[in-house]
Amino acid sequence: LLFLWSITVSIFGIGGLLGSSGSRYLAVKYGKKKCLMCNNLLMIVAASIMGCSKTARSFEMILIGRFICGISTGVGVPLYQQYVGEISPKKLRGFANSTSSFFWSLGKSIGQISGQRELLGSRSLWPMLMASCGLPALVQLVTLPFFPESPPYLLMRQGDQEGCKKAIRQLWGEGHHQAEIDDIMKEKATMKNTKILSVLELMKEPAFRWQLYMIVILTATVQLCGINAV
């Protein structure tokens, strides 16, 4: 039982690793908006599987649901930051990017509170708690079709200048946005002369060695400092 419980908890992280590893490829190939919408469907599937596990008397469904949920989270977290940053006007871009940390912490807090035995952590209601991750995914799935694709993606990846201008007007209102379009074109020109490193190449690159050490140590310290136990 201890082994199964440990696997159930940790398999979320394994799914997250796989999802985050493939998020860049998916975003480049299909666009951030489409990827987010499909990712929400994946999260709803995971929530449905976990929510039905008690009725089906199957702990394997919890394992599968947690794994799929991890993949969806791994794909969604970096895509969310990229999409929100790219559709935000320049003066609000820093604030928009910082919301991911806020909502991440808020979600964990709501999950901890909802998981109390007096609320959804009881014997009868825990399947609802497991399935609750599908609710924000459903909200995003319903609202995302009203948003345009990311303007930088339309211009840099698809070469659709008119589509980019239309998306900018829809997001930021009517006005003269040529400066923003010029910035995107400069970024596109820069990217042509910049080699995109894979994870393995990044780890082998001496110039980034100390930055990687700092990130790994910082992340490991956060995980091992006891904050999860608190």
Side-chain angles (χ1 to χ4, degrees), residues 34-48 68 72 137-138 140-141:
K34 288 180 182 178
C35 285
L36 282 171
M37 291 183 67
C38 294
N39 194 50
N40 289 322
L41 286 173
L42 193 64
M43 181 64 81
I44 291 171
V45 169
S48 302
I68 297 174
S72 178
L138 181 62
Q140 194 178 62
L141 184 64

Side-chain angles (χ1 to χ4, degrees), residues 70-83:
I71 293 175
S72 178
T73 304
V75 172
V77 169
L79 284 181
Y80 165 81
Q81 290 179 305
Q82 293 172 38
Y83 183 68

